[in-house]
C-alpha cells in the first residue's frame, strides 16, 4: 500500500495544477470546435481525441523528468535534430513542392518539429553553463546555434516552422540578457523594409520581379496579403473567405454548428490552419476574446513558472516555451484575420494534427517539470 501511495503521490505531484486546469479547458474547447468544423464526430474528431490523449500522456512522462536530466539531454537532442535536418536536405521525401519528411524505414518523421523544443533546450543549456559570466561572444555563439537549424528548415522550404523555431530561440537569447539596444538597427531596418514594400507594392509584386531571398509562392503570399482582391478566386481566396467568416460572426456569433461559411465549405483548411475562422464565426467577438484570455492565462502561468524557477535553465526554458505559444497564436490569428501572410502555422490546442499537439504536450510537460523542481539532486 505504501508503494502504491508513493506512486500515486508522484503522479499527482508531477502536475502543475493551475496549468493542468487551463489545458483541460483547452482540450474541451478544442474538441468542441473540431466537432463543429467537421460537422459531426467523423474520423477526424476521433483522431483528434486520440491525439489529445497521446499529448497528455507525453506531458505526464516529460513532467516526471527533472530539469537536470533535461539539461543532459539538450546537447544530444540538438545534435540529432540537426543531423536529421541534414538528412532531409539530402535524402528527404518531397510532397507538394516541399522536402520536409525523412523516411527512417519503420516510420516517417518531420525533424523540423522536434527543433521547436530542441533549439530552446540547447540555448538554455548553453546559457546555464555560462550563468553569471555571459559575454557578447556568447550571444554570437548562441546566434550560430540558432542559425544552423533555421537555415536548414528554410531550405526545405518551410518558412512558417523556421520562423517559429527562430522566434522561440530568439526569446531564450533575449531573456539571457541581450540588450535591446543591439536590436534597434534590426528593428529600424525591418520598419523601413515593410514601409518600402507597402509603398512600392505594385512594382515589387510584378511577376517578373525576383525577390531572391524568397520562393515565388512565398512572394505571392506576401503580395496577396497586401491586396487579396487581386486574385479573389485563386491566391486570395483563403484570406478573403476567412475574413468574411470572422467578420460575419459579429459580437455574439451565429451559434454553435450554424456557421454558414464553415458548413457551406467556403473556409479552406477549416480543421487546421483556419480553425479560428470557424470559431469566430460561431462564437463572435466575445467568444474570440474569451479564447484569447485563456491563452493569456496559459502564458501568464508559464511566465510565473519561469520567474519562480530554481535554475537559469528553467527560467529560460519556461520563458521561451510560454512565448512560443504567444508566437503561435499571434501568427495564426494574424494570418486568419488578414494582417499576416498565410504561412501554415496551427493554432495551439485547436488545430487538427497529432504532431503539433504532441509538441505542445512535451512543452507543457517541460513547464510542469520546471514548476515542481526546487533544486534537489536529480
Amino acid at each position: 500500500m505504501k508503494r502504491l501511495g508513493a506512486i500515486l503521490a508522484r503522479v499527482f505531484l508531477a502536475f502543475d495544477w493551475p496549468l493542468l486546469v487551463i489545458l483541460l479547458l483547452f482540450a474541451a474547447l478544442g474538441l468542441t470546435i473540431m466537432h463543429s468544423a467537421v460537422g459531426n464526430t467523423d474520423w477526424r474528431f476521433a483522431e483528434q481525441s486520440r491525439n489529445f490523449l497521446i499529448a497528455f500522456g507525453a506531458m505526464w512522462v516529460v513532467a516526471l523528468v527533472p530539469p537536470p536530466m533535461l539539461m543532459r539531454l539538450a546537447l544530444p537532442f540538438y545534435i540529432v535534430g540537426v543531423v536529421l535536418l541534414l538528412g532531409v536536405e539530402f535524402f528527404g521525401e518531397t510532397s507538394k513542392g516541399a522536402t520536409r519528411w525523412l523516411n527512417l524505414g519503420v516510420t516517417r518523421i518531420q525533424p523540423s518539429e522536434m527543433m521547436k523544443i530542441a533549439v530552446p533546450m540547447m540555448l538554455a543549456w548553453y546559457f546555464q553553463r555560462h550563468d553569471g559570466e555571459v559575454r557578447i561572444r556568447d550571444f554570437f555563439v548562441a546566434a550560430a546555434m540558432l542559425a544552423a537549424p533555421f537555415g536548414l528548415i528554410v531550405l526545405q522550404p518551410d518558412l512558417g516552422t523556421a520562423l517559429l523555431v527562430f522566434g522561440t530561440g530568439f526569446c531564450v537569447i533575449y531573456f539571457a540578457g541581450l540588450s535591446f539596444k543591439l536590436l534597434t538597427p534590426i528593428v529600424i531596418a525591418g520598419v523601413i523594409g515593410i514601409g518600402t514594400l507597402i509603398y512600392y507594392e505594385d512594382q515589387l509584386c510584378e511577376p517578373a520581379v525576383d525577390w531572391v531571398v524568397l520562393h515565388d509562392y512565398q512572394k505571392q503570399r506576401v503580395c496577396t496579403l497586401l491586396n487579396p482582391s487581386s486574385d479573389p478566386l485563386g491566391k486570395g481566396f483563403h484570406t478573403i473567405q476567412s475574413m468574411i467568416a470572422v467578420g460575419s460572426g459579429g459580437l455574439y456569433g451565429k451559434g454553435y454548428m450554424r456557421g454558414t461559411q464553415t458548413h457551406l465549405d467556403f473556409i479552406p483548411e477549416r480543421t487546421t490552419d483556419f480553425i479560428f475562422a470557424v470559431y469566430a464565426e460561431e462564437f463572435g467577438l466575445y467568444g474570440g476574446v474569451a479564447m484569447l484570455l485563456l491563452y493569456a492565462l496559459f502564458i501568464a502561468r508559464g511566465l510565473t513558472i519561469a520567474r519562480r524557477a530554481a535554475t537559469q535553465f528553467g527560467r529560460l526554458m519556461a520563458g521561451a516555451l510560454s512565448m512560443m505559444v504567444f508566437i503561435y497564436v499571434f501568427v495564426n490569428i494574424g494570418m486568419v484575420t488578414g494582417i499576416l501572410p498565410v504561412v501554415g502555422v496551427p493554432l495551439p490546442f485547436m488545430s487538427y494534427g497529432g504532431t503539433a499537439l504532441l509538441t505542445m504536450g512535451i512543452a507543457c510537460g517541460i513547464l510542469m517539470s520546471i514548476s515542481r523542481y526546487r533544486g534537489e539532486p536529480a
Side-chain angles (χ1 to χ4, degrees):
M1 288 298 294
K2 287 184 178 180
R3 183 175 178 80
L4 178 61
I7 293 174
L8 291 175
R10 187 174 182 183
V11 168
F12 283 101
L13 289 175
F15 294 124
D16 179 89
W17 288 98
L19 185 60
L20 182 61
V21 170
I22 295 170
L23 293 175
L24 290 173
L25 290 174
F26 269 125
L29 183 60
L31 290 175
T32 299
I33 301 307
M34 187 59 59
H35 179 267
S36 178
V38 301
N40 50 48
T41 54
D42 72 354
W43 62 269
R44 287 168 295 183
F45 179 84
E47 284 203 355
Q48 188 71 344
S49 302
R50 183 203 63 184
N51 292 337
F52 266 108
L53 291 175
I54 293 173
F56 274 101
M59 178 190 71
W60 174 69
V61 171
V62 175
L64 293 172
V65 180
M69 178 63 72
L70 293 174
M71 283 184 60
R72 288 195 286 271
L73 294 173
L75 181 58
F77 191 30
Y78 175 85
I79 292 173
V80 169
V82 172
V83 170
L84 290 175
L85 286 177
L86 288 170
V88 170
E89 183 65 22
F90 293 104
F91 311 106
E93 295 185 351
T94 302
S95 176
K96 297 181 180 179
T99 307
R100 302 173 184 174
W101 298 88
L102 186 64
N103 195 329
L104 300 180
V106 293
T107 187
R108 197 174 71 141
I109 63 172
Q110 188 177 359
S112 58
E113 279 295 321
M114 66 183 289
M115 299 311 289
K116 294 176 182 178
I117 303 296
V119 167
M121 277 183 66
M122 179 65 185
L123 294 175
W125 169 83
Y126 179 79
F127 284 113
Q128 171 69 49
R129 293 195 57 175
H130 295 82
D131 189 21
E133 51 181 26
V134 177
R135 291 166 289 186
I136 291 294
R137 73 176 186 182
D138 293 319
F139 291 112
F140 283 105
V141 172
M145 294 177 182
L146 175 57
F150 172 76
L152 289 170
I153 296 171
V154 168
L155 289 175
Q156 294 182 357
D158 188 357
L159 186 59
T161 301
L163 290 175
L164 289 174
V165 170
F166 177 83
T168 309
F170 175 79
C171 287
V172 175
I173 297 174
Y174 182 74
F175 291 151
L178 180 65
S179 173
F180 189 77
K181 294 179 180 178
L182 298 175
L183 302 176
T184 303
I186 300 175
V187 173
I188 293 174
V191 171
I192 293 174
I194 293 173
T196 302
L197 177 60
I198 294 173
Y199 189 79
Y200 293 104
E201 172 200 344
D202 293 338
Q203 295 92 323
L204 293 175
C205 289
E206 287 291 331
V209 177
D210 186 1
W211 285 17
V212 182
V213 295
L214 294 181
H215 293 268
D216 284 340
Y217 80 92
Q218 293 168 341
K219 169 193 168 184
Q220 290 166 0
R221 286 179 177 180
V222 175
C223 292
T224 299
L225 169 68
L226 296 173
N227 186 15
S229 60
S230 62
D231 188 10
L233 298 179
K235 301 178 182 65
F237 185 81
H238 290 63
T239 302
I240 291 172
Q241 295 303 322
S242 65
M243 291 172 64
I244 291 173
V246 172
S248 65
L251 289 176
Y252 303 101
K254 296 178 179 176
Y256 184 61
M257 298 283 287
R258 295 182 178 179
T260 53
Q261 291 293 113
T262 300
H263 296 291
L264 293 177
D265 290 334
F266 283 104
I267 300 177
E269 306 296 339
R270 65 179 184 268
T271 61
T272 52
D273 296 343
F274 288 86
I275 197 166
F276 181 76
V278 176
Y279 179 85
E281 183 181 25
E282 297 187 353
F283 293 95
L285 176 63
Y286 292 147
V289 170
M291 177 188 285
L292 291 178
L293 286 175
L294 192 57
Y295 280 119
L297 286 174
F298 179 96
I299 295 168
R301 183 57 189 169
L303 293 177
T304 299
I305 292 172
R307 181 173 59 85
R308 296 176 178 175
T311 63
Q312 175 77 332
F313 175 84
R315 286 190 291 272
L316 295 177
M317 274 299 294
L321 293 177
S322 302
M323 295 309 297
M324 178 178 75
V325 173
F326 170 80
I327 295 169
Y328 265 97
V329 174
F330 177 79
V331 173
N332 180 273
I333 295 181
M335 173 183 73
V336 170
T337 54
I339 63 174
L340 291 175
V342 177
V343 291
V345 173
L347 188 62
F349 310 112
M350 299 293 157
S351 296
Y352 172 81
T355 304
L357 265 179
L358 181 61
T359 300
M360 291 306 306
I362 293 172
C364 292
I366 293 174
L367 285 173
M368 292 186 177
S369 172
I370 294 169
S371 175
R372 71 185 181 90
Y373 182 70
R374 292 294 176 266
E376 70 272 12

